[in-house]
Amino acid sequence: MSAKDHPDYESEAERLDYTKEYMEKLLGETEREAEISRENIRQAIGDAEHLDSSQSYINILTNARFFEMAASQKEGLEAIRQSPYFARIHFRKEGEPSELLYIGKTSLFHRETQDPIIVDWRSPVANVYYDGRLGDVSYEVNGEENEGYLFAKRQYKIEQGELRDIRDIDLTTNDELLQEALAGKADVRLTEIVSTIQQEQNEIIRANLKRPVIVQGAAGSGKTTIALHRISYFLYTLGADFPAEKLMILAPSRLFIGYIADVLPELGVGWIKQTTFPEYVLAATGLKLKLADPDEKLAILAEHRTGSDEAISISRLKGSLEYRDLMNRLVRMIERETAELFDDVYIEKYRIIRKERLQRLFMKEFAYLPLQKRLDRIRTILKTEVRRKLKEILTSLTGRYEQALDKALFGIRDEELRKTKTTRLIDERDARLPAIRAEGKKTVAAYMKRFKRFDVKKRYRLWLTDPETMARVARGWTETERNRFREAHVRERWEIEDLAALYWLHSKLIGVDEAWKMRAVFIDEAQDYGAFQFAALREGLGTDMFTIVGDLAQGIHSYRSVTGWETVLGLFPRAAFRTLQKSYRTTVEIMNAANRMLAKLDEDLPLVEPVVRHGREPEIHPGDVFDPGQVLRIAGETRERGHRSVALITKTSKEAAAMQLSLRELDPAVRLLDGESDPEQDGLLVVPGHLAKGLEFDAVLIAAFDYSFGGSEIDRKLLYVAMTRPMHELHLIGNFKDLLGE
C-alpha cells in the first residue's frame, strides 16, 4: 500500500510540507546569521588596531561562538532535510492535553512558540514510541516517573523529501516494518536502524549511563548499532558533562572503523575517538613499537601448523589476570628499588629532611599515584623544604657571624689579634654564605638525579629476558617454566598480547596523560579481549563506565581472550549484564545452518533465534579445486537477484590473497580486504575470515580448499562467523557437507 492510500495522507503530506518549509526558512536564517557573525569577526579583527585590544578579542570570541552555533544548526538541518522524521505518537501526558509528537534523528522547535516540530529519538518521551504499548504508559525524566496515555503510534517512510509510506503501528505492523527494513541492503541498514530499534535493544541503549553494561549478543543481534546508538544517547543525555572527545569506541580494525564511519555523524557523535586497542595503547604510552601481525597466531592455528602449543600457551598467559598479578609484582619490585635510593637530604652539614620521611611519602602517602608522579610530588616538597630551610640556615648563620664579629670587635683588646679574628670571620662568612646559597639552589636537582625516569619498554624487556628479575617476580614458577618463558623472548618481538602489560606498567610507573584519559569507553567485538586488557584499560583510564558488547561464539582469538563473561563481570562489579539471542541480520534458513555449527562449539550458548524472515536455503557447491569462474558465476547470479554487496570469505589470509589473484585475472574489480581497507561495496570483496567479524553483506560465498574447515574449535568458530555475515544468501564452495552434519 502506498502512502496515498492512507486516509490521513493529505494531512500528513501537509505536515511534511510545513516541516520542510520551516526547515528551509531556518536554513536561510542560519546562513544569514553565520554571514553576520563572519562579518562581525572581520570587523573586530580590523578594529583591533584602533580599539582596546581586549574588547576586540571579546568581540571575536563572541561572534566566533555565534558562527559555530549557526554552522552547527545548519549542519544538523541539512542532515535531516531529506527525511525529517520517521515516526509519530499521539500521546497525552497526565494532566496535560494530548499532542502529536513527530520523532526524528534530531530535535527541532519553533523559534517563536517553542512548540516541538520534531522530537529527538533520544528524548525521554520518545521512549514511549520504542517501549510503549497502546494505552497507559510511563517514562522517566531525571529520575522521576511520568504517566500518560498512548493513543496511537505511526511510522513513515520519507525518501528525498517525499512521503512514501504511512503505517499505523500495532504489534503485527511493527513486525512487518522490521521485516521490510531487514530485507534492505547491507550498506544502508546501519543508518536506518534508529527507526526500527526493538524493545530489548532500546533497553540496552537507554540503560543506566553511569553504570557499565556488558552484552552477550548473538551474531546479527545489533550489537554494533546498539553500541553506536548508546554513544549517541550518552552524548544527548550527559553531553554537558562528557564532551564527545572524552568518549572512545575501540573497534576491532581500521576496516571496521571505515564500516561505521558514515553512521557516527548521522547520530551526532562524529567527534568521538574511534580507534583500535593497539593504536590507543601506542598513542597513550608514546611507545614506538613495530607489532607483529596480530593474526599470525590465528593463522598458525587455522593452518594447523606444528609447534604452536608453546606460543599459544604464552599468549593465553599474557591475556590473563595471572599476568596482571605478575606485572603488579614487577611494579612493587621497582617501587622497592626506588625507595632504597632515598637518603637524607643535606645542604652543607645541615640535614634538610630525613630519608625515612621521604620513603614514607613515596611508599604510603602517595601510594595512590604512579611512581613517577610520586617522585614529582616529592621533588615539589623538597623544593619547598629546601627553600624554607635554606632561608632559616642563612638567617641563623648570618646572626651567628654577626654575634661573633661583635664579640671580636668589642671583646678582644689586642688590635692585631682583633683585626686577624674579624678578617677571618668576614672572609669565612663571605665565602660560606654564598656557597650555601648556591648549593641550596642545586640541592633538589642534584638529589633527584639518582632517580632515572622510568623506561617502560626497557623494564618490561628486562622482565622477559633477565633471569634474576624473572626469579624475583615469578616466584611460583619452576626453573623449567622460567627458562621456557625466557627462551621464547630471546628475539625481541612485540605482539598485541604484550600491549596490556605495557599499558599497565605505563599507568603504574608513569601515569596516563589526561589527553588519553577517556571518561567512557565502548568496546565492540569484546570477545577478542583478554581479561588483562579489560583490567588494564579500567586501571589506566580510572573509570568503569564501559559499554562492552561481544559474542563468545565468535571468539576466534580465544587462545588469548576471555572464554566467559564471569571474569569480566568480576572486573566490573557494578555492571549490568544483558543477553541478546534474537538475530535481525539473516534469514531463518541461513540461521538454522549456522545454529548447527553453534551447537558444536565448546561454549554452552543457546541457539540464536532468527527473526521470521525466509529466503533461499544455503547452497553447498562441492569441489576439490578452487575454480574462479565458478565463484564469479555464483556471485553474478546473486547480483542478478538484486544483491549489491557480495563477499567471498576464506579461512585464512593466505588463501584470500591467492584466491583474489586468481579472480582478478577474470574480473579486475575483485578486491581483497585487509585490516586497513576502506570497505567500499563495489565489486566482489574477498575477506579473510578473521576480518569478517562485525561486517555484513547481502550475499556471502565461503570457499575453503587448501585450508579447509576441519573439526577444531577455531575452525568451527571461523566458519560460524562467516556463516552469520549474509543477510539474504549463503553459498559454501568446497567440502562442507560432513562438517555441517547434513
Side-chain angles (χ1 to χ4, degrees):
M1 185 176 77
S2 72
K4 292 182 180 180
D5 296 325
H6 195 280
D8 292 340
Y9 173 75
E10 293 298 332
S11 61
E12 290 290 6
E14 286 178 13
R15 168 68 194 215
L16 179 58
D17 288 341
Y18 162 74
T19 304
K20 291 192 298 181
E21 287 168 8
Y22 191 76
M23 288 169 62
E24 292 302 322
K25 177 185 174 184
L26 277 187
L27 281 167
E29 290 179 6
T30 54
E31 181 58 46
R32 286 191 293 274
E33 288 166 0
E35 183 53 43
I36 290 170
S37 297
R38 273 195 294 261
E39 184 56 39
N40 288 342
I41 292 170
R42 284 193 291 266
Q43 183 70 36
I45 293 172
D47 290 343
E49 297 180 6
H50 311 293
L51 302 176
D52 176 73
S53 59
S54 62
Q55 184 59 46
S56 296
Y57 181 64
I58 291 171
N59 288 341
I60 292 169
L61 285 180
T62 302
N63 281 284
R65 179 62 181 149
F66 284 144
F67 177 78
E68 183 182 337
M69 290 170 62
S72 177
Q73 184 175 31
K74 181 174 181 291
E75 183 181 346
L77 289 170
E78 287 179 338
I80 64 168
R81 68 196 303 181
Q82 299 300 329
S83 182
Y85 47 81
F86 55 81
R88 188 195 81 178
I89 55 174
H90 183 192
F91 179 69
R92 183 185 68 223
K93 184 179 177 183
E94 193 173 79
E96 297 181 9
S98 66
E99 55 185 339
L100 299 176
L101 299 175
Y102 288 77
I103 300 170
K105 291 182 180 179
T106 189
S107 57
L108 177 64
F109 294 89
H110 195 285
R111 282 194 168 185
E112 280 86 36
T113 65
Q114 287 303 299
D115 289 335
I117 297 172
I118 304 173
V119 173
D120 194 299
W121 71 271
R122 297 165 292 187
S123 66
V125 72
N127 201 32
V128 170
Y129 168 73
Y130 292 111
D131 277 359
R133 297 288 182 91
L134 302 186
D136 293 321
V137 293
S138 64
Y139 63 97
E140 191 177 290
V141 183
N142 297 325
E144 292 186 9
E145 202 73 17
N146 287 259
E147 306 291 334
Y149 192 88
L150 181 61
F151 295 96
K153 293 198 289 185
R154 179 171 286 179
Q155 192 173 63
Y156 309 96
K157 186 175 184 180
I158 302 173
E159 295 176 343
Q160 301 301 313
E162 296 295 324
L163 186 58
R164 306 290 189 191
D165 197 6
I166 304 170
R167 299 283 184 93
D168 293 300
I169 298 177
D170 55 26
L171 191 59
T172 303
T173 52
N174 190 45
D175 284 345
E176 290 173 359
L177 290 164
L178 179 62
Q179 293 281 349
E180 286 188 17
L182 297 179
K185 302 303 175 195
D187 52 332
V188 297
R189 276 217 318 127
L190 266 178
T191 60
E192 293 178 349
I193 194 171
V194 69
S195 63
T196 55
I197 292 171
Q198 300 301 290
Q199 184 172 350
E200 71 272 21
Q201 297 171 329
N202 185 55
E203 287 173 359
I204 297 171
I205 291 168
R206 297 176 189 257
N208 191 330
L209 293 171
K210 295 184 178 179
R211 290 183 57 189
V213 175
I214 299 172
V215 180
Q216 160 59 38
S221 60
K223 297 185 296 297
T224 298
T225 47
I226 287 170
L228 298 180
H229 285 78
R230 184 164 168 81
I231 296 168
S232 179
Y233 181 64
F234 193 103
L235 287 173
Y236 177 86
T237 309
L238 301 176
D241 300 318
F242 291 83
E245 56 270 22
K246 283 299 179 182
L247 274 64
M248 174 171 70
I249 183 165
L250 289 176
S253 65
R254 274 281 136 199
L255 170 64
F256 190 85
I257 291 172
Y259 181 63
I260 64 174
D262 292 338
V263 188
L264 295 173
E266 286 198 23
L267 294 173
V269 295
W271 291 103
I272 186 174
K273 186 173 289 297
Q274 307 160 49
T275 187
T276 64
F277 179 77
E279 286 176 353
Y280 168 72
V281 169
L282 294 179
T285 61
L287 291 169
K288 306 296 182 186
L289 302 175
K290 182 173 176 56
L291 289 175
D293 183 352
D295 296 304
E296 186 175 320
K297 282 196 179 72
L298 181 63
I300 291 172
L301 280 174
E303 295 167 17
H304 305 293
R305 298 182 208 165
T306 58
S308 62
D309 291 349
E310 185 67 30
I312 299 306
S313 174
I314 290 174
S315 293
R316 184 173 290 113
L317 168 68
K318 288 181 177 179
S320 70
L321 295 184
E322 178 190 347
Y323 204 62
R324 175 202 60 182
D325 296 339
L326 288 170
M327 292 303 99
N328 266 340
R329 283 189 205 159
L330 179 60
V331 170
R332 287 196 294 273
M333 185 187 83
I334 297 169
E335 180 186 50
R336 289 191 297 270
E337 289 174 354
T338 306
E340 290 170 3
L341 296 175
F342 285 103
D343 206 344
D344 293 348
V345 181
Y346 283 90
I347 296 178
E348 203 197 47
K349 63 180 181 179
Y350 299 97
R351 182 160 51 200
I352 304 302
I353 190 168
R354 292 179 180 274
K355 75 172 184 178
E356 289 80 10
R357 182 187 169 195
L358 294 174
Q359 287 174 329
R360 185 173 66 254
L361 288 170
F362 182 77
M363 296 292 288
K364 294 184 178 179
E365 295 185 29
F366 297 150
Y368 63 94
L369 292 171
L371 302 193
Q372 188 60 57
K373 292 187 184 299
R374 299 186 208 178
L375 293 176
D376 293 342
R377 287 279 186 93
I378 288 170
R379 179 192 296 271
T380 301
I381 289 171
L382 276 177
K383 285 180 178 178
T384 303
E385 285 290 291
V386 166
R387 195 180 301 117
R388 183 176 65 82
K389 291 284 183 70
L390 180 61
K391 186 176 181 180
E392 290 178 2
I393 292 167
L394 292 174
T395 300
S396 174
L397 283 176
T398 300
R400 285 162 58 187
Y401 277 112
E402 287 176 355
Q403 288 178 359
L405 283 169
D406 285 346
K407 187 176 179 181
L409 286 170
F410 301 108
I412 301 175
R413 294 184 178 182
D414 184 293
E415 184 178 349
E416 189 63 33
L417 183 59
R418 183 172 63 245
K419 182 180 179 182
T420 302
K421 179 74 170 177
T422 55
T423 300
R424 183 179 63 78
L425 285 170
I426 290 170
D427 288 346
E428 182 181 312
R429 180 197 65 188
D430 291 349
R432 188 179 181 196
L433 294 184
I436 289 174
R437 187 176 287 108
E439 184 182 346
K441 289 181 179 179
K442 298 176 182 177
T443 296
V444 175
Y447 183 83
M448 295 302 294
K449 277 185 178 178
R450 68 188 67 195
F451 303 103
K452 306 300 181 187
R453 291 198 69 84
F454 297 104
D455 187 325
V456 171
K457 179 180 172 182
K458 185 177 179 181
R459 284 287 187 172
Y460 183 64
R461 186 74 188 138
L462 198 65
W463 143 254
L464 294 175
T465 57
D466 179 54
E468 183 181 347
T469 300
M470 194 173 293
R472 291 172 64 186
V473 173
R475 295 189 298 273
W477 292 6
T478 65
E479 185 67 24
T480 301
E481 288 171 331
R482 288 198 290 268
N483 288 338
R484 189 181 300 131
F485 188 79
R486 191 170 60 254
E487 287 165 5
H489 295 94
V490 170
R491 182 166 67 96
E492 184 169 328
R493 176 184 170 85
W494 301 100
E495 298 178 323
I496 192 171
E497 293 93 322
D498 293 307
L499 292 180
L502 288 165
Y503 183 73
W504 181 272
L505 290 175
H506 181 85
S507 70
K508 294 290 188 180
L509 300 181
I510 298 171
V512 178
D513 190 90
E514 283 301 318
W516 296 103
K517 279 206 168 186
M518 302 295 111
R519 298 181 63 187
V521 182
F522 302 81
I523 301 180
D524 202 354
E525 300 295 341
Q527 75 279 352
D528 290 338
Y529 281 63
F532 192 10
Q533 284 176 278
F534 289 117
L537 284 169
R538 175 170 180 177
E539 179 72 18
L541 295 171
T543 180
D544 73 343
M545 292 179 67
F546 281 57
T547 295
I548 297 169
V549 300
D551 179 14
L552 295 177
Q554 299 180 62
I556 59 176
H557 296 285
S558 56
Y559 60 88
R560 60 168 164 84
S561 61
V562 294
T563 55
W565 296 117
E566 296 80 11
T567 304
V568 186
L569 285 164
L571 293 169
F572 296 89
R574 297 194 316 122
F577 182 71
R578 300 282 188 273
T579 59
L580 295 169
Q581 280 308 116
K582 192 174 289 186
S583 174
Y584 298 96
R585 175 180 296 140
T586 194
T587 63
V588 172
E589 289 75 14
I590 294 174
M591 201 65 243
N592 285 343
N595 269 335
R596 288 197 291 275
M597 185 53 54
L598 178 63
K600 297 181 180 183
L601 300 183
D602 290 344
E603 287 83 3
D604 185 19
L605 295 169
L607 298 182
V608 181
E609 305 167 22
V611 171
V612 182
R613 178 170 65 87
H614 288 281
R616 296 170 65 93
E617 286 284 349
E619 295 183 35
I620 296 178
H621 306 267
D624 297 321
V625 179
F626 176 68
D627 179 357
Q630 178 192 31
V631 169
L632 291 172
R633 176 181 55 77
I634 296 170
E637 289 170 355
T638 65
R639 288 185 181 281
E640 289 173 3
R641 288 188 284 272
H643 303 314
R644 178 167 176 250
S645 62
V646 184
L648 172 67
I649 300 179
T650 67
K651 180 179 172 183
T652 69
S653 297
K654 185 184 293 186
E655 197 167 30
M659 289 185 184
Q660 189 247 0
L661 283 176
S662 296
L663 290 164
R664 278 180 64 88
E665 292 179 3
L666 300 178
D667 182 358
V670 176
R671 292 193 310 110
L672 175 68
L673 290 191
D674 58 32
E676 302 297 319
S677 294
D678 178 17
E680 297 173 5
Q681 298 291 334
D682 296 326
L684 178 64
L685 306 179
V686 184
V687 189
H690 67 275
L691 283 180
K693 278 192 301 86
L695 305 181
E696 63 181 29
F697 305 92
D698 293 333
V700 164
L701 289 61
I702 306 174
F705 293 94
D706 294 338
Y707 300 101
S708 61
F709 292 92
S712 71
E713 180 72 0
I714 189 66
D715 282 356
R716 291 192 289 269
K717 285 187 174 179
L718 281 168
L719 183 54
Y720 176 75
V721 167
M723 292 177 69
T724 54
R725 297 310 97 199
M727 290 178 60
H728 305 294
E729 287 193 36
L730 174 64
H731 297 264
L732 299 103
I733 307 170
N735 183 15
F736 290 92
K737 190 169 184 179
D738 293 339
L739 190 60
L740 292 176
E742 295 189 355

